[in-house]
Every structure is written in C-alpha cells, then in structure tokens.
Amino acid sequence: MSVPTIFICTAITFLMVAVALTLLSAHDTKEKATRWWAVAMWMGVLAVSVAASRTVAPAWFAIGIGNSFVIMTISLVSAGFAVFSGDRPKLLPLFAGAVIWTGCYAGLEVFREEITYRIVVLTSIMATYSVTIVRTAWRGWQTERLPTFVATVVIYGAHGVVFVARIVAGVLYPATEADGHIQAPWLVAFALEGFALTVLSAFVFTMLIKERAERRYRLAAEIDSLTSAATRRFFVSETRDLMARKQAKGVLAVIDLDHFKSINDSFGHMGGDRVLQTFGAFVTQRLEPGMVFGRLGGEEFGIFVPDVTDRQAGEFFESIRAGVEALEIPFMGNPIRITISVGVASIRDAGQDFDHLMAAADSALYIAKDEGRNRLRFFSLAMRMHRIVEAGQESRVGLAESRLSRTGVRMQVKRA
C-alpha cells in the first residue's frame, strides 16, 4: 500500500468520525467532550488534506501549517479526554505544541531544511500529548472504572512507544526529501500506524460516550432520590464487588435512625423525609474515597469502608454518630433532633462473604438498640444467639457463632 493511499483512507476516516461526532454532540449536549473530539476530527481532516498537498503547495503551507494542524489534532483529542474526566482544558498545553513547532519552522532555517530535525521535534511533541492522554485515561479509570479507559491507556501508550521508535528510525535511517516526496524505509509502516490510530480513536470515543451514558442511566436507577445514597441493590452489588477483590481489611456498618416512627407520628411524613434528606447529606459529605453508602430500606442505611482497621472504622462511625446527635434539623419552625444506632462488623471477624458480614453487622445493630440506642457496637465472635423483644410483641434472632447467612428472622412471642 502506498503512502498517498493511506493518506486518503485516513482523511476519509477522519471525515466520517467528525460527521458522526458532530451529529452526536448535537443530539446529546450533556457530554461536552464529544464536541472537543468532533473538533479534533475536523482538524484531522484539515491536517491530512494540507499535509497531502506538499507536492503542489509551498513548503511553508504543506509542512509548516500542515504539521501544526496535525499537532492541534492530538492536542484537541487530549483536551477532550480532560473534559471527559471533569477537568477544564488549559490554554497553554492546548496550543503549546503547535506554537513550538511553528516557532521552530518559522525561525530556524536549519529546521526547515533538515527533515530529520523536523521528524524528531514533531514526533516528540506528539508523543508528549500521547503520554498526557494516557495519564488522563488512567486517572479516569481509577475514579470511574469505565472499561474503555483501559483500552485508551493501551492504545495511546502503544502509540507513544511507536513515536519513540519513529525518532530512533529517523535518526538511524534518515529520510530523504525531494520535490515534496519523502523517501524512507519506515515511512509506510508509520503511516499505517497513524491510520490505525484514527480508527481505534473512533472506537475509543464512541465506547467511552456509550459507557458513560449507560452508567448515568444506571446510577439514575440505583441512587435513592430522597437521600442521594445508593439503593439497596446497588449498595449490595458495589460492596460485593469490593469484597470480591479479597479485601484483607474492611468493615460494614448498618445504621438505624432511632425512634423514626415517632418522628413521622409527630411531624408527618414530610418531617420524616426532611430527616432522611438531612441524614443522607450529612453522611455523604463525610464519606472518603472508596466508601460505599446506601439506603437499605426505610430508615436503615449501610456503609462499607474498605481497607481500614477496626480502630479507624470505630473512630469514623463514632464521629458520624456524635455528629448526627448534635444536628438540629429545622422543620416548619420546629427543630428535630435525632440519634442513630450503629452496628459494625469487620471482615476479619465475620468473613469474606457479604451475607455473613451483613448478618454480623445487623446483629451488632440490634444489640446496640437493645442496650438503649444512640450507640455503636462492634460484632465479635463472642456473640451468641441474642434475643431482643420490642414492645413485648416481636423478637429478632441475631447471629450465632456459626454465622447464619441472614438475620431479620421475625417471630411472634407466645405468652405462656
């Protein structure tokens, strides 16, 4: 395959992707990165078209301006990844590469005349932007876990390696230039790699947008609208996933708002909703990275904290308990005061199975409630079957040392 044919294929690919991303950005205005990538693809169309005119156009246009457009293409792609990750693109990195290239080409005669210098500088700038994309994608993977972030790291990481190889090849096997034509044994191979990157970039852009949209819709269904905590299903799923990574340390807390029924009776359901909203916001503001907070049902919540010791977990949950106790929740001119009971179980004591861990935390919670509420209790292996009677009518069966997989077994207490 000849270099002109590869250029034509690359230009057509840029054009198709540019049109698709432009239409997508007009349809979905939420994802701002789509616009940046669309502009990058249009810039790619322009860059390839100008660069391909080197046999008929002046060198300052085809080489000087054409390669500055090439640099701006990958710079805009990098800015798109920054926007996708929630950052604001900075003007200096955005234009620095093109400015450096233009300055060298306009100001240095030896640079204009010696193709090896141009190859080294152009390739170094492109490699720098590739590294920036890899770093941004890796940070995105650590925070959002979209699978295509990993593909981005691999693709643009490999592209950076290819750029380094291109510098080496350009030095060891210098290219020659005559009448706008470049001759080099490695030229076709690197032109094909550029075409492959264009195709793979289109895949990366569309998949990231698709995965983000799916995640957004999934979160809309999995986040409790009242408290902003995860729904029970999502909380359980996320906690199971974390535990499946064989966390050596970690704790699960089950939290119950004390006497919540009396709050509903005194202030109505609107007052109860205000309490739940305030509690959810209070806890959410104090969560640290990696923690999972969910509403298990009614006034019961769960928090999973990975990779902490019992002492660290105890300090954290005690600060939550004390902070909630100090809250004054205004409602229709009347302050509402609440307290919470907290049952905590560690992976060390309850095991790696989620059901066992939940059962242990549940058992510790009901012991905390039995002892008077507004307190925190840790599950321990010394706990045996614990019988709790509420209002003289109902009992709950807690966790035995054999680790029952579920608590919350209810039965009627028959009077003799």
Side-chain angles (χ1 to χ4, degrees):
M1 183 178 290
S2 65
V3 173
T5 302
I6 298 173
F7 266 49
I8 293 172
C9 293
T10 304
I12 293 174
T13 303
F14 268 125
L15 180 61
M16 293 173 62
V17 177
V19 171
L21 290 176
T22 301
L23 294 175
L24 182 59
S25 65
H27 176 72
D28 182 7
T29 58
K30 292 182 180 179
E31 197 56 75
K32 296 180 180 179
T34 309
R35 302 173 189 172
W36 285 87
W37 288 328
V39 173
M41 295 299 99
W42 284 114
M43 182 63 71
V45 174
L46 189 60
V48 175
S49 301
V50 173
S53 69
R54 61 189 304 146
T55 57
V56 295
W60 64 265
F61 178 75
I63 300 174
I65 294 180
N67 283 328
S68 68
F69 288 166
V70 171
I71 294 170
M72 282 303 301
T73 299
I74 194 169
S75 173
L76 288 165
V77 169
S78 178
F81 277 103
V83 172
F84 190 83
S85 298
D87 299 328
R88 296 186 64 179
K90 300 177 181 178
L91 290 180
L92 180 60
L94 182 63
F95 293 103
V99 169
I100 291 171
W101 167 264
T102 303
C104 290
Y105 192 85
L108 300 174
E109 183 177 353
V110 67
F111 189 81
R112 294 191 296 272
E113 294 179 352
E114 181 53 59
I115 188 172
T116 301
Y117 293 161
R118 299 201 304 267
I119 290 173
V120 170
V121 172
L122 175 64
T123 306
S124 299
I125 293 172
M126 300 283 283
T128 301
Y129 281 114
S130 293
V131 170
T132 302
I133 292 172
V134 168
R135 291 178 57 190
T136 304
W138 181 248
R139 289 199 306 268
W141 164 252
Q142 291 177 318
T143 57
E144 200 169 359
R145 297 290 176 176
L146 300 181
T148 305
F149 272 134
V150 178
T152 303
V153 170
V154 173
I155 292 169
Y156 281 91
H159 189 56
V161 172
V162 169
F163 274 137
V164 174
R166 182 180 175 183
I167 294 174
V168 175
V171 173
L172 295 180
Y173 306 97
T176 59
E177 188 176 23
D179 298 326
H181 295 281
I182 300 176
Q183 298 294 329
W186 41 262
L187 186 61
V188 172
F190 288 115
L192 280 172
E193 191 276 336
F195 170 68
L197 178 68
T198 305
V199 175
L200 292 173
S201 294
F203 164 78
V204 165
F205 301 155
T206 54
M207 288 304 298
L208 283 174
I209 295 167
K210 175 178 177 291
E211 289 168 0
R212 170 71 64 77
E214 290 175 347
R215 183 175 184 271
R216 186 184 295 125
Y217 293 137
R218 187 174 67 250
L219 288 177
E222 294 175 341
I223 298 299
D224 180 65
S225 60
L226 181 63
T227 63
S228 296
T231 62
R232 180 186 181 92
R233 175 181 294 181
F234 186 50
F235 175 79
V236 172
S237 174
E238 288 292 293
T239 303
R240 285 187 190 276
D241 287 347
L242 286 172
M243 294 180 67
R245 299 172 194 168
K246 301 299 181 185
Q247 293 280 348
K249 296 181 293 184
V251 298
L252 173 67
V254 178
I255 303 172
D256 190 80
L257 275 62
D258 296 330
H259 304 296
F260 186 74
K261 184 176 183 301
S262 66
I263 294 174
N264 274 334
D265 291 342
S266 300
F267 298 95
H269 288 291
M270 291 182 62
D273 288 349
R274 175 68 61 84
V275 168
L276 292 172
Q277 287 175 330
T278 304
F279 174 76
F282 178 84
V283 174
T284 299
Q285 291 172 0
R286 285 153 182 79
L287 294 177
E288 298 176 5
M291 295 183 179
V292 186
F293 173 48
R295 186 180 182 187
L296 302 181
E299 70 274 19
E300 193 170 80
F301 295 82
I303 302 177
F304 180 72
V305 185
D307 198 29
V308 293
T309 63
D310 288 2
R311 182 184 63 81
Q312 292 170 326
E315 291 174 354
F316 173 75
F317 290 120
E318 177 57 28
S319 71
I320 294 292
R321 187 207 61 77
V324 170
E325 185 181 17
L327 284 176
E328 276 196 3
I329 304 171
F331 180 72
M332 300 181 69
N334 298 306
I336 303 176
R337 305 295 295 266
I338 62 172
T339 60
I340 58 173
S341 298
V342 186
V344 184
S346 67
I347 290 176
R348 183 194 62 186
D349 291 332
Q352 198 73 36
D353 182 82
F354 173 79
D355 288 340
H356 292 169
L357 191 64
M358 175 67 83
D362 209 24
S363 179
L365 169 66
Y366 288 119
I367 290 175
K369 294 172 69 174
D370 191 46
E371 292 179 353
R373 293 182 168 83
N374 190 26
R375 65 197 66 216
L376 181 149
R377 287 294 178 263
F378 265 87
F379 170 79
S380 69
L381 294 178
M383 290 181 180
R384 302 288 182 174
M385 298 296 289
H386 189 78
R387 189 180 186 86
I388 301 173
V389 178
E390 295 179 344
Q393 296 295 323
E394 183 181 83
S395 67
R396 297 174 185 261
V397 178
L399 186 69
E401 187 174 353
S402 59
R403 297 178 183 170
L404 295 177
S405 64
R406 179 69 185 167
T407 57
V409 179
R410 299 171 181 240
M411 61 188 74
Q412 294 297 322
V413 180
K414 296 182 179 179
R415 298 182 182 273

